């Protein structure tokens, strides 16, 4: 079903921690994009909250990486490729290098390894199949790890608030732990007013397998991670591994933080770190106009309002034997220039052979959409067939605008009619 394709697209890059929370399918409310930072950026935020991380530098060329390794003056160095995806340890570069995380005692080797990472694509279980280009590496002081645990704090719909999730079996394959030994996954709901209580933090630390003085230390780290979670308006803080060293230290060896986009106005410093280079450029452009863009494989562009309507539209197109090329969701309060921007984005995609507009106006004023459409058609000299289905607020006015425009716009009476006409328009060509 087309809708399944859609959900998969939406969920691509969704947090792995979410798999622990429920057996039902984890779905997002809308195709929003949560800000995601690189590990080194997340670790800086952690440092500021008193969370224990290794000393590190970042580098964007091999010489700098080698010099950073010298400057660290550590017994052993860990070199880590920075991409917005997990599973780097088991990843592969298109330079032939295996592993996005390497340990060595020799700064010269750091330089050599960095030259096989930087500028190359790293493919992991969580990246697209061609991988993601590495532009930065992290050079950190390596510590011995005697045990790896998993710890995360995230928002859970079922608990109506934040929840801690942890496992004594941390490290690289936490998804498998969740699938095979769910009894080793521990959860603890956090009262948003009370915060993490001492007894909760200690119980989680004990469940993670920290013993003796390490239990208190781990509990302290857990509380500091929650402070950070609140302070930066995170939707998820994931540490895998949260490890212990033979010297008796609890350390966050990896860091993944996602942020609530609605908090952008009060988290300016965090959002300023946003690196959109790894995002789809069309998605980024769409976001500038408050439009959500999801690219798909077919040839019918869809312009809709609301995620549910997007799914329905994709399904009905599928039912009529067509395939959606993408969809743009314009959400609620729409402006004419958004409609124009939307058409520009939709028609820029060479796969698009027809456009289907499906607007069910509630808050959305159909007349504004109609004006936006006619303006876009004229100025962009639209070359592909356009099928429009409008319903709801001010629809009569909207239909009049479209029919009086003299433009070759095919009106549709309902979604089924629209999908049928869009598929037929392509078949005719
Ligand atoms: P990921 O594969 O993308 O999740 O990257 P991680 O940062 O979690 O690193 C992968 C693995 O490398 C970890 O699970 C550790 O086993 C190992 N690792 C990372 N940093 C260190 C370190 O400082 N010392 C040691 N001994 N191992 C490390
Ligand atoms: Mn990790």
């Amino acid at each position: 079903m087309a809708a399944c394709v859609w959900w998969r697209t939406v969920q691509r890059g969704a947090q792995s921690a979410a798999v622990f929370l429920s057996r039902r399918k984890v779905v997002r409310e809308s195709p929003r994009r949560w800000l995601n930072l690189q590990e080194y950026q997340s670790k800086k935020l952690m440092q500021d909250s008193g969370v224990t991380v290794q000393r590190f530098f970042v580098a964007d060329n091999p010489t700098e990486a080698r010099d950073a390794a010298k400057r660290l003056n550590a017994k052993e160095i860990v070199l880590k490729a920075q991409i917005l995806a997990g599973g780097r340890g088991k990843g592969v570069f298109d330079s032939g290098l295996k592993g996005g995380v390497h340990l060595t005692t020799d700064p010269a080797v750091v330089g050599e390894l960095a030259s096989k990472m930087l500028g190359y694509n790293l493919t992991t279980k969580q990246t697209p199949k061609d991988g993601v280009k590495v532009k930065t590496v992290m050079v950190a002081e390596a510590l011995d790890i005697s045990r790896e645990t998993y710890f995360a704090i995230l928002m859970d719909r079922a608990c109506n608030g934040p929840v801690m999730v942890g496992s004594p079996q941390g490290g690289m394959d936490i998804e498998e732990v969740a699938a095979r030994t769910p009894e080793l996954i521990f959860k603890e709901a956090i009262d948003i007013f009370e915060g993490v209580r001492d007894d909760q933090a200690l119980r989680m630390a004990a469940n993670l397998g920290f013993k003796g003085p390490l239990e208190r230390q781990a509990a302290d780290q857990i509380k500091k991670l929650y402070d950070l979670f609140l302070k930066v308006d995170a939707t998820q803080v994931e540490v895998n591994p949260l490890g212990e060293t033979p010297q008796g230290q609890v350390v966050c060896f990896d860091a993944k933080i996602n942020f609530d986009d609605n908090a952008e106005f009060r988290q300016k410093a965090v959002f300023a770190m946003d690196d959109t280079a790894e995002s789809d450029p069309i998605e980024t452009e769409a976001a500038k106009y408050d439009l959500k863009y999801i690219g798909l494989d077919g040839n019918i562009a869809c312009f809709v309002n609301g995620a549910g309507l997007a799914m329905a539209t994709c399904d009905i197109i599928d039912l009529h034997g067509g395939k959606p090329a993408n969809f743009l969701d314009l959400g609620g309060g729409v402006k004419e220039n958004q409609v124009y921007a939307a058409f520009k984005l939709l028609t820029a995609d060479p796969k698009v052979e027809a456009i289907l507009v499906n607007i069910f106006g509630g808050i959305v004023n159909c007349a504004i959409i109609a004006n936006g459409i006619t303006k876009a058609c004229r100025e962009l000299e639209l070359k592909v067939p356009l099928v429009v289905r409008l319903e709801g607020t001010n629809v009569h006015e909207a239909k009049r605008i479209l029919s009086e425009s003299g433009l070759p716009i095919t009106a549709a009476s309902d979604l089924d009619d629209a999908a049928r006409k869009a598929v037929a328009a392509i078949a005719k060509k």
Side-chain angles (χ1 to χ4, degrees):
M1 290 279 281
C4 297
V5 178
W6 181 70
W7 279 124
R8 248 184 284 126
T9 316
V10 172
Q11 283 182 274
R12 188 175 60 206
Q15 332 78 311
S16 53
V19 302
F20 307 127
L21 286 179
S22 108
R23 277 165 204 275
R24 73 196 143 82
K25 239 179 159 171
V26 178
V27 287
R28 296 247 186 112
E29 223 165 28
S30 64
R32 64 195 279 194
R33 179 181 159 269
W34 281 331
L35 170 65
N36 207 333
L37 294 184
Q38 300 287 1
E39 175 193 8
Y40 77 90
Q41 297 170 316
S42 296
K43 282 189 170 167
K44 271 189 196 138
L45 295 174
M46 285 180 164
Q47 270 175 336
D48 296 343
S49 284
V51 173
T52 308
V53 299
Q54 297 142 282
R55 291 189 294 130
F56 70 86
F57 293 113
V58 287
D60 56 19
N61 66 65
T63 315
E64 216 181 24
R66 187 201 57 203
D67 293 348
K70 284 187 191 155
R71 262 197 295 162
L72 278 170
N73 193 22
K75 186 168 96 284
E76 195 176 16
I77 306 288
V78 58
L79 176 67
K80 306 174 85 172
Q82 300 293 289
I83 57 167
L84 297 177
R88 294 165 301 166
K90 292 188 172 170
V92 182
F93 292 89
D94 58 2
S95 63
L97 181 68
K98 289 207 167 65
V101 177
H102 280 264
L103 292 160
T104 172
T105 52
D106 185 354
V109 174
V110 169
E112 284 160 29
L113 288 167
S115 71
K116 293 175 189 145
M117 293 183 172
L118 289 159
Y120 291 100
N121 278 27
L122 173 58
T123 302
T124 79
K125 269 204 297 211
Q126 294 182 14
T127 63
K129 78 175 190 323
D130 294 332
V132 175
K133 185 177 258 173
V134 177
K135 290 188 290 184
T136 312
V137 292
M138 178 181 194
V139 186
E141 168 182 41
L143 300 173
D144 292 335
I145 310 182
S146 37
R147 222 169 51 81
E148 301 194 359
T149 76
Y150 175 94
F151 180 74
I153 303 169
L154 59 152
M155 284 297 180
D156 180 29
R157 194 90 59 84
C159 298
N160 278 322
V163 59
M164 297 189 265
V165 182
S167 173
Q169 300 283 327
M172 294 204 248
D173 279 316
I174 191 65
E175 284 85 356
E176 269 171 44
V177 176
R180 286 196 194 148
T181 46
E183 68 279 8
L184 290 179
I185 305 287
F186 297 91
K187 286 178 226 169
E188 193 90 43
I190 302 168
D191 182 318
I192 193 86
F193 296 108
E194 244 180 350
V196 175
R197 294 187 317 267
D198 278 339
D199 65 299
Q200 287 186 299
L202 283 166
R203 186 161 55 231
M204 181 53 84
N207 282 334
L208 294 180
F210 290 105
K211 302 238 154 50
L214 284 182
E215 190 178 318
R216 187 134 285 292
Q217 211 191 116
D220 178 58
Q221 289 293 304
I222 286 169
K223 292 188 108 177
K224 286 181 169 147
L225 285 166
Y226 183 67
D227 292 342
L228 172 66
F229 179 88
L230 283 188
K231 190 169 91 187
V232 300
D233 284 302
T235 51
Q236 167 175 279
V237 172
E238 186 184 51
V239 184
N240 187 27
L242 171 67
E244 72 180 62
T245 69
Q247 291 76 31
Q249 262 213 309
V250 177
V251 180
C252 295
F253 284 94
D254 193 5
K256 189 159 189 282
I257 310 180
N258 290 349
F259 302 85
D260 185 348
D261 284 351
N262 295 312
E264 184 169 356
F265 73 99
R266 62 180 181 200
Q267 297 292 349
K268 296 248 157 61
V270 169
F271 280 78
M273 293 193 267
D274 193 3
D275 176 8
T276 52
E278 280 184 37
S279 318
D280 181 337
I282 306 181
E283 250 172 69
T284 309
E285 184 63 21
K288 285 189 200 157
Y289 299 93
D290 262 336
L291 297 162
K292 310 283 181 198
Y293 175 91
I294 301 288
L296 299 164
D297 307 325
N299 52 8
I300 301 177
C302 303
F303 183 45
V304 297
N305 64 321
L309 198 62
M311 278 185 82
T313 307
C314 290
D315 274 352
I316 304 292
I317 288 175
D318 196 61
L319 206 67
H320 285 280
K323 282 204 180 316
N326 52 40
F327 68 79
L328 252 181
D329 175 6
L330 92 169
V334 66
K335 295 185 196 68
E336 240 180 80
N337 74 333
Q338 268 184 314
V339 180
Y340 181 78
F343 268 75
K344 217 168 148 182
L345 284 166
L346 292 177
T347 49
D349 182 346
K351 295 197 311 285
V352 171
E353 292 180 47
I355 299 178
L356 191 165
V357 176
N358 183 24
I359 301 291
F360 203 96
I363 306 168
V364 171
N365 183 339
C366 290
I368 295 179
I369 304 275
N371 278 324
I373 291 175
T374 53
K375 181 166 179 265
C377 285
R378 289 200 180 98
E379 291 180 22
L380 298 170
E381 294 173 9
L382 197 67
K383 305 249 169 12
V384 296
L386 170 63
V387 180
V388 179
R389 182 262 180 147
L390 296 171
E391 194 52 81
T393 307
N394 249 345
V395 66
H396 297 298
E397 165 82 0
K399 285 185 175 160
R400 188 185 56 75
I401 293 167
L402 292 183
S403 65
E404 287 176 6
S405 72
L407 290 161
I409 297 171
T410 307
S413 56
D414 56 28
L415 173 52
D416 192 65
D417 187 37
R420 195 172 44 78
K421 284 175 173 161
V423 173
I426 290 175
K428 239 190 344 205
K429 285 207 300 185

